[in-house]
Amino acid sequence: MAASICSSFNNDMVIDILARLPVKTLLRFKSVSKPLLSLITNPKFISSHLHQSTKNSSLVFHFSHNEFPVAMLYYTEPTTLHAVHIPSSMKDYSFKPRIHIKGSCGGLLYMELFFGCCVFHYGLWNPATRQFKKIEEPQQCINLLSEGFCHSSKINDYKLVRTGYFLYPATRRTRYDRRRVDSVVRALVFSWKKDSWRTVEDGALLGGSFSDPVTVKGDLYWKVSGERNYLANEELVLAFDSSNDVFRRIELPGLINQSNPSYTTTITEFKGSLGLFVFLEYSTSNSGFDFWVLNESRTGGNIRCCWRRLLTAGTLSKIGRPISAWRCKIILKNLMGENSFFLYDPISREIIDVPILSDDVYDYVETLASVDGTK
Amino acid sequence: MSSSAENPTLTAEITKPSTEIATETAQSAKKITLKTSDDQIFEVEESVAMEFATVKSFFEDAPSSTDTVPLPNVPAKPFSQVIEFCKEQIKFKANPDETEKKRSNSEFVKEKTNEDLVEMIPVANYLEIKDLLDVLNQAVADRIQNRSVEYVRSFFGIDNDFTSEEEALLREEHAWAFEDVDED
């Protein structure tokens, strides 16, 4: 990149301007000149573009019906849905796949594709570059407890994590026998850069019932309700450090576990920290919710955790279940209508309806990153 | 400025009764002389000149200097527009209002031609005016976002060094990215 890109500006100025552009524009500008092409495909530029693009995050939804299986909602116009192009490489059978998004991080979507009744595979999708790539399944069979997809900007890698009990063949003849299930929980971690899976053993891993994962600054978090062998009925958070494949446990704020068991909790990302909604699950009158934020400070190898109650939202004019935080707004699932959402602004107390019927919603940012990390 | 630096204790005592008003008028009265690359002389209020990180550090190294500050690489035309921007910015320093600041910034770039922006960016970069650089770079990004490859070449003064075969291949690879582009 030593060569000067243009006569008017030095390269740093050009980089600063280009990092602000959408992916579609940059793909077009690849054909401006050779120095510009080499800049746009440079991994360092791709990272700074992703960093810049997190300022313009949008939401991605997927639907059960087939017409527009995936749609985006941009922060700048939160009332209009945009259909997302489905790449032809996704349709390698004669019929359309049913798409199920399972994770969104660093601009890539981790997804499951169903073809007909029992043919399915997993893949990574970059909606901005319209690329799709299948992920090869690991050799090791696993009784799945949880799954998560994350992006570590520190080591510039995307990771797919599965935890559960490994299954082993009972005899040489049968491949796997459900009776020979391991008694400890292990993890399988897929690296985008290496395009391969590895086994991770970690004392912090545990069995139980897992929430959907949340990613915070590239790390994964699940809320776990412990099962018999582990902390019966107690809830805690399991975290995965994506830069070194290490798991850790985090306790919930003390009073929640002791207090009335009818309280339900949901974890979310909130401005670079882990957030926690606490609300009454079965209340018919809408009693609002509490919102807690986790402060994790690292000193040497130790991580100190401290929960702080950030907000108590009183009665809302609409009944909803808090799903996640999006920028300064809270996304709630409307409990009166079917599968629809609304946004709540805790400061202005304003409510914005999101006019859609969707099964799931994910935070999304654009990236130039390839779906193939080995290239 | 030079006398107060020599005996700060004494100055402080003398000005005590009406400190704030006295220093404010003293500061706003103070002007700094700057010379552009095309030999034009600008007399700029100190508070405005201190927005230029490059000029500020010049005075931090030599606080008592009364010399004219040379600004090589800074032509007069974009420089006067930069001063215009910084004068506006100072108002928001005293009275922060993010919405009003955003409106004022977008008003500022809206009136500027592409040429103005292209000339101002290196000046803002040389003088290290972070806020202005951010506003200008975003304005350029907004202006080229929906534009053609040819428009961008002429905007930045970039020569096409691809053979027609190479270019055709790249265009074919991302044909969809060439749809819905604004007319030049």
Side-chain angles (χ1 to χ4, degrees):
Chain A
M1 281 219 298
S4 175
I5 295 168
C6 75
S7 52
S8 321
F9 304 146
N10 68 36
N11 287 4
D12 285 346
M13 299 181 215
V14 180
I15 290 167
D16 190 284
I17 293 167
L18 295 186
R20 297 161 189 263
L21 292 170
V23 168
K24 183 186 175 189
T25 307
L26 290 170
L27 295 178
R28 184 165 69 245
F29 291 175
K30 272 177 163 184
S31 35
V32 167
S33 71
K34 282 178 186 170
L36 211 66
L37 171 66
S38 96
L39 170 69
I40 293 171
T41 48
N42 182 306
K44 249 190 176 162
F45 175 75
I46 294 174
S47 297
S48 49
H49 176 266
L50 175 61
H51 182 74
Q52 176 77 29
S53 117
T54 52
K55 290 176 191 163
N56 305 308
S57 73
S58 46
L59 292 176
V60 59
F61 298 86
H62 77 89
F63 306 91
S64 331
H65 65 86
N66 267 348
E67 209 49 55
F68 294 107
V70 182
M72 294 280 177
L73 184 74
Y74 298 101
Y75 188 71
T76 43
E77 36 170 351
T79 48
T80 318
L81 273 183
H82 297 264
V84 179
H85 175 265
I86 307 293
S88 56
S89 53
M90 231 182 250
K91 309 167 190 160
D92 53 306
Y93 293 83
S94 56
F95 38 95
K96 262 192 186 171
R98 223 170 72 221
I99 294 169
H100 182 194
I101 298 173
K102 304 189 82 182
S104 166
C105 209
L108 298 188
L109 302 179
Y110 164 56
M111 53 197 299
E112 202 171 31
L113 295 174
F114 298 92
F115 299 91
C117 55
C118 51
V119 187
F120 65 97
H121 55 236
Y122 299 96
L124 293 180
W125 179 25
N126 183 336
T129 60
R130 301 189 174 182
Q131 278 184 311
F132 172 77
K133 185 183 178 258
K134 246 168 93 172
I135 295 175
E136 291 306 322
E137 279 296 282
Q139 291 287 307
Q140 178 63 53
C141 225
I142 189 168
N143 241 0
L144 205 63
L145 283 168
S146 68
E147 195 174 26
F149 178 63
C150 56
H151 170 245
S152 165
S153 53
K154 232 185 278 173
I155 56 165
N156 188 31
D157 201 354
Y158 293 83
K159 291 206 173 147
L160 177 58
V161 182
R162 289 178 185 169
T163 74
Y165 300 100
F166 283 9
L167 298 166
Y168 295 104
T171 63
R172 262 188 224 168
R173 281 219 177 124
T174 54
R175 236 187 117 215
Y176 291 104
D177 183 342
R178 298 253 159 193
R179 281 169 299 182
R180 284 216 49 206
V181 178
D182 224 358
S183 57
V184 291
V185 177
R186 288 193 177 83
L188 289 168
V189 177
F190 174 82
S191 155
W192 166 81
K193 247 184 186 168
K194 297 188 183 116
D195 195 27
S196 65
W197 294 85
R198 66 177 283 241
T199 301
V200 173
E201 300 189 15
D202 197 311
L205 281 165
L206 75 160
S209 104
F210 283 71
S211 70
D212 284 337
V214 163
T215 51
V216 178
K217 283 190 191 149
D219 288 353
L220 280 168
Y221 295 79
W222 296 266
K223 198 195 68 180
V224 194
S225 306
E227 66 182 16
R228 250 179 316 116
N229 314 354
Y230 304 93
L231 316 152
N233 294 322
E234 203 157 307
E235 287 195 331
L236 58 83
V237 169
L238 180 70
F240 170 76
D241 186 328
S242 58
S243 56
N244 57 13
D245 294 2
V246 171
F247 290 86
R248 64 181 185 275
R249 295 179 187 179
I250 299 161
E251 283 177 26
L252 293 184
L255 56 115
I256 291 169
N257 273 331
Q258 297 153 16
S259 69
N260 196 331
S262 63
Y263 274 104
T264 305
T265 55
T266 302
I267 54 170
T268 180
E269 195 272 345
F270 179 72
K271 293 183 160 185
S273 299
L274 187 72
L276 178 79
F277 296 107
V278 182
F279 53 98
L280 279 166
E281 171 82 69
Y282 300 110
S283 75
T284 41
S285 67
N286 193 15
S287 47
F289 55 86
D290 280 352
F291 187 54
W292 294 72
V293 171
L294 178 70
N295 177 26
E296 289 178 283
S297 51
R298 280 164 205 256
T299 41
N302 296 324
I303 300 175
R304 263 195 60 211
C305 294
C306 164
W307 288 98
R308 187 167 62 92
R309 181 156 50 196
L310 191 74
L311 158 87
T312 296
T315 317
L316 310 186
S317 57
K318 234 178 176 168
I319 299 177
R321 181 198 168 115
I323 301 288
S324 64
W326 184 39
R327 302 196 164 203
C328 293
K329 293 187 168 62
I330 312 279
I331 305 169
L332 294 102
K333 196 162 196 162
N334 191 350
L335 294 180
M336 303 313 277
E338 290 236 325
N339 286 335
S340 78
F341 296 88
F342 61 93
L343 298 175
Y344 171 69
D345 187 325
I347 295 161
S348 68
R349 299 181 64 90
E350 183 193 6
I351 281 177
I352 305 168
D353 276 305
V354 181
I356 43 166
L357 301 170
S358 168
D359 302 328
D360 268 310
V361 54
Y362 294 93
D363 211 358
Y364 171 76
V365 291
E366 278 199 351
T367 186
L368 285 159
S370 167
V371 287
D372 187 348
T374 57
K375 278 184 185 165
Chain B
M1 203 62 180
S2 55
S3 63
S4 66
E6 277 163 35
N7 198 341
T9 342
L10 185 70
T11 325
E13 268 166 25
I14 293 166
T15 53
K16 218 171 201 171
S18 54
T19 339
E20 277 171 21
I21 304 154
T23 41
E24 224 169 60
T25 15
Q27 266 180 9
S28 62
K30 167 122 194 198
K31 299 243 177 183
I32 286 179
T33 315
L34 303 151
K35 195 169 97 179
T36 58
S37 60
D38 42 359
D39 289 334
Q40 296 230 32
I41 303 289
F42 282 80
E43 289 225 318
V44 181
E45 278 178 25
E46 188 185 22
S47 58
V48 175
M50 289 304 117
E51 289 291 294
F52 316 149
T54 315
V55 174
K56 197 178 173 192
S57 62
F58 177 90
F59 279 97
E60 275 162 5
D61 293 341
S64 54
S65 169
T66 51
D67 297 346
T68 299
V69 184
L71 300 172
N73 316 325
V74 177
K77 186 188 153 219
F79 186 52
S80 59
Q81 294 179 329
V82 166
I83 294 171
E84 179 200 336
F85 177 87
C86 289
K87 275 186 181 162
E88 278 297 303
Q89 287 298 295
I90 285 169
K91 289 183 198 161
F92 295 111
K93 265 196 175 163
N95 205 349
D97 178 346
E98 280 307 311
T99 334
E100 184 56 26
K101 188 171 162 179
K102 260 193 185 154
R103 198 201 54 79
S104 155
N105 288 348
S106 72
E107 197 70 20
F108 175 80
V109 291
K110 222 169 85 186
E111 299 160 349
K112 302 289 176 283
T113 64
N114 286 350
E115 196 196 353
D116 288 338
L117 296 181
V118 170
E119 283 174 358
M120 257 191 288
I121 287 173
V123 173
N125 186 59
Y126 173 76
L127 295 173
E128 291 176 47
I129 313 164
K130 230 183 136 268
D131 283 357
L132 175 60
L133 202 55
D134 188 57
V135 168
L136 294 173
N137 286 349
Q138 189 57 51
V140 170
D142 292 344
R143 285 189 192 189
I144 62 176
Q145 180 173 326
N146 293 319
R147 295 302 189 143
S148 71
V149 166
E150 293 74 18
Y151 184 92
V152 170
R153 282 185 191 134
S154 73
F155 191 103
F156 288 105
I158 299 176
D159 292 327
N160 177 14
D161 52 358
F162 287 117
T163 64
S164 51
E165 289 81 15
E166 286 171 334
E167 195 180 335
L169 212 67
L170 276 166
R171 281 181 185 251
E172 200 187 296
E173 195 189 336
H174 306 292
W176 60 272
F178 290 82
E179 291 163 12
D180 304 319
V181 173
D182 292 351
E183 295 275 327
D184 289 350

